[in-house]
């Protein structure tokens, strides 16, 4: 989808910065996204309203005036699946994760008493099985190929699984795979040629050109410990499954079960939002064409329209200005048009270079 569009129009820049998608500095015209079969939707958010973006949904927006916004990340019950997918995608871009997905998963597995729902516990057990199977399979493969296991020769600190703390996060930052930047939580491969470089089990062959005999594997979580954690998770899942089968009658009628409790108070602004949108039909169709008019002109008084700035396109740059309350125009951003726009895989141009801009912040003059 969107990644393919990035690679088609910004192939040279993505070679320099593989994780360009996460830099929040590049904007594409909806026309180019639609040409790449990327669904595009638009919405106008009013004060007091919430917009929820789902995993792997790229979004961008503009304020139509002075605005104070707030964003927060929250996890749904099925976050484990999305977290695993995000971890794999970060590894493909060699982008360090904010925290170790493996650490969070195994910390949850060591707090099974907090797992109350069957669906969440099922996802947790499935993720444990996936991670442990790959870890043990690659360990066996590397050791059989000649990589030395030094577990009995050196003493490594145990992975702390009672809580997620800053000290553990700092330790994780010191064992990032040199190739994919993944936290080597269970084990890592090192070589005698370097005292600081480590690799995950997937990319040990990228670490150096030394023979296999010079490489060794460091293990923080033993096979027995990992299998014991998995077995505890399976037992807890079976316990929840049996408990849910007993309470089937209650679960089959959740409305009646909740009716006995007191209804929550309405949040401020809910009634106003309902009145505003009750006759409004949400258009979920993709944008058919690129709008050329500045939408903000339709939202301000007529006497202020003449003072609004116009976007003037020059041969080498686009100057974007910010309209302030004093009526003065101040430079806010300098948007350079990307020269790599026409650099597609087949060497042909699929769009105008004005369809892609790279935003670089500049100081107000």
């Amino acid at each position: 989808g969107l990644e393919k569009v990035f690679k088609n129009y910004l192939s040279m820049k993505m070679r320099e910065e593989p994780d360009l998608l996460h830099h929040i500095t590049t904007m594409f015209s909806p026309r180019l996204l639609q040409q790449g079969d990327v669904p595009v939707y638009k919405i106008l958010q009013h004060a007091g309203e919430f917009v929820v973006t789902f995993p792997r949904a790229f979004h961008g927006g503009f304020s139509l005036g002075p605005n104070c916004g707030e964003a927060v990340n929250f996890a749904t019950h099925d976050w484990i699946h999305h977290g695993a997918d995000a971890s794999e995608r970060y590894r493909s871009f060699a982008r360090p994760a904010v925290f170790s997905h493996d650490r969070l998963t195994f910390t949850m597995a060591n707090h099974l008493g907090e797992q109350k729902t069957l669906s969440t516990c099922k996802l947790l057990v499935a993720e444990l099985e996936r991670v442990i199977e790959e870890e043990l399979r690659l360990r066996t493969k590397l050791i059989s190929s000649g990589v030395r296991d030094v577990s009995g020769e050196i003493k490594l600190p145990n992975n702390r699984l009672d809580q997620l703390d800053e000290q553990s996060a700092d330790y994780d930052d010191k064992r990032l795979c040199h190739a994919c930047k993944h936290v080597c939580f269970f084990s890592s491969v090192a070589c005698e040629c370097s005292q600081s470089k480590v690799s995950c089990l997937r990319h040990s062959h990228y670490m150096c050109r030394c023979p296999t005999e010079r490489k060794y594997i460091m293990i923080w979580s033993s096979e027995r410990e990992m299998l014991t954690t998995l077995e505890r998770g399976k037992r807890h899942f079976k316990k929840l499954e049996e408990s849910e089968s007993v309470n089937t009658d209650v679960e089959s009628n959740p409305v009646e079960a909740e009716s006995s409790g007191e209804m929550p108070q309405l949040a401020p602004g809910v009634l106003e939002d309902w009145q505003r949108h009750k006759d409004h039909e949400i258009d979920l169709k993709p944008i058919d064409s690129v709008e050329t008019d500045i939408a903000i002109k339709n939202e301000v008084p007529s006497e202020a329209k003449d003072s609004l700035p116009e976007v003037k396109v020059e041969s080498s740059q686009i100057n974007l200005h910010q309209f302030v309350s004093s009526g003065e125009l101040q430079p806010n951003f300098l948007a350079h048009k990307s020269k790599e726009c026409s650099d597609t895989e087949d060497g042909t141009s699929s769009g105008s270079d004005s369809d892609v801009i790279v935003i670089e912040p500049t100081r107000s003059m």
Side-chain angles (χ1 to χ4, degrees):
L2 187 66
E3 294 87 347
K4 184 178 179 180
V5 176
F6 263 74
K7 292 178 181 178
N8 286 342
Y9 290 95
L10 300 173
S11 58
M12 294 296 295
K13 195 169 186 66
M14 290 200 69
R15 291 172 190 172
E16 302 173 359
E17 302 176 79
D19 60 341
L20 179 64
L21 279 76
H22 305 281
H23 288 187
I24 321 179
T25 57
T26 307
M27 180 179 298
F28 273 85
S29 165
R31 180 182 64 178
L32 295 183
L33 298 178
Q34 287 184 314
Q35 289 177 357
D37 296 328
V38 179
V40 180
Y41 304 96
K42 62 179 179 179
I43 187 172
L44 180 61
Q45 182 182 16
H46 296 274
E49 297 179 349
F50 294 90
V51 174
V52 180
T53 58
F54 289 88
R56 299 189 64 182
F58 292 84
H59 61 279
F62 301 91
S63 298
L64 303 182
N67 177 49
C68 180
E70 182 179 356
V72 63
N73 296 323
F74 62 94
T76 56
H77 291 293
D78 60 343
W79 74 266
I80 297 177
H81 168 72
H82 298 295
D85 181 63
S87 178
E88 292 298 324
R89 288 169 57 80
Y90 273 30
R91 296 182 77 169
S92 66
F93 288 114
R95 176 182 173 85
V98 178
F99 53 82
S100 171
H101 175 74
D102 295 334
R103 175 180 289 278
L104 181 58
T105 302
F106 267 70
T107 300
M108 290 179 59
N110 280 267
H111 292 77
L112 292 174
E114 300 176 7
Q115 299 298 319
K116 306 295 185 181
T117 61
L118 181 65
S119 58
T120 304
C121 188
K122 182 179 181 180
L123 291 173
L124 177 60
V125 172
E127 180 63 11
L128 291 174
E129 290 179 336
R130 182 188 72 86
V131 171
I132 293 175
E133 187 278 330
E134 178 185 357
E135 176 70 21
L136 298 182
R137 173 171 50 83
L138 292 180
R139 281 187 191 179
T140 304
K141 180 179 179 180
L142 289 172
I143 294 176
S144 61
S145 66
V147 178
R148 291 173 293 147
D149 181 6
V150 296
S151 302
E153 303 175 16
I154 60 175
K155 179 64 177 178
L156 296 174
N158 296 326
N159 284 324
R160 186 172 182 178
L161 299 175
D162 57 333
Q163 64 180 11
L164 299 173
D165 56 354
E166 186 176 354
Q167 183 178 1
S168 299
D170 292 339
Y171 186 75
D172 288 344
D173 292 338
K174 299 176 182 178
R175 49 178 175 174
L176 297 179
C177 173
H178 83 287
C180 65
K181 306 304 179 184
H182 181 71
V183 176
C184 302
F185 182 71
F186 305 112
S187 62
S188 68
V189 177
C191 183
E192 296 176 0
C193 67
S194 175
Q195 296 182 353
S196 59
K197 186 186 297 185
V198 296
S199 169
C200 68
L201 304 191
R202 290 186 190 178
H203 303 114
S204 60
H205 54 289
Y206 290 126
M207 184 165 50
C208 61
R209 298 183 178 181
C210 298
T212 308
E213 294 75 16
R214 293 176 58 86
K215 298 179 181 179
Y216 54 93
I217 184 172
M218 298 182 293
I219 298 177
W220 285 274
S221 298
S222 65
E223 178 179 354
R224 180 180 179 181
E225 178 184 351
M226 299 175 72
L227 294 178
T228 301
T229 301
L230 176 59
E231 187 61 30
R232 285 202 308 265
K234 289 182 177 180
R235 288 199 302 266
H236 187 72
F237 171 74
K238 187 176 181 179
K239 181 179 178 181
L240 290 177
E241 193 175 28
E242 294 174 352
S243 176
E244 184 168 288
S245 62
V246 175
N247 300 326
T248 303
D249 295 337
V250 177
E251 294 294 335
S252 62
N253 192 359
V255 176
E256 182 179 347
E258 295 179 2
S259 61
S260 58
E262 184 180 354
M263 292 296 293
Q265 296 293 330
L266 293 177
V270 170
L271 296 179
E272 291 80 356
D273 291 340
W274 180 80
Q275 289 291 340
R276 182 187 298 129
H277 294 288
K278 65 177 182 179
D279 297 324
H280 177 68
E281 296 183 1
I282 300 178
D283 184 12
L284 296 180
K285 297 179 180 179
I287 300 175
D288 295 328
S289 61
V290 180
E291 298 179 0
T292 57
D293 297 332
I294 300 178
I296 191 174
K297 288 188 177 182
N298 299 324
E299 304 293 331
V300 299
S302 57
E303 59 271 12
K305 289 184 179 180
D306 296 335
S307 60
L308 287 173
E310 294 183 357
V311 178
K312 298 182 179 180
V313 181
E314 301 177 3
S315 59
S316 61
Q317 62 188 29
I318 303 175
N319 292 320
L320 303 180
H321 293 81
Q322 177 184 8
F323 183 73
V324 296
S325 58
S326 61
E328 300 178 356
L329 295 177
Q330 295 182 353
N332 187 25
F333 289 97
L334 187 63
H336 294 281
K337 295 187 296 183
S338 174
K339 298 302 182 182
E340 294 85 1
C341 174
S342 60
D343 184 13
T344 58
E345 294 180 355
D346 57 0
T348 60
S349 175
S350 299
S352 170
D353 60 355
S354 61
D355 290 328
V356 185
I357 58 176
V358 179
I359 306 297
E360 297 178 1
T362 58
R363 295 182 179 179
S364 300
M365 300 175 61

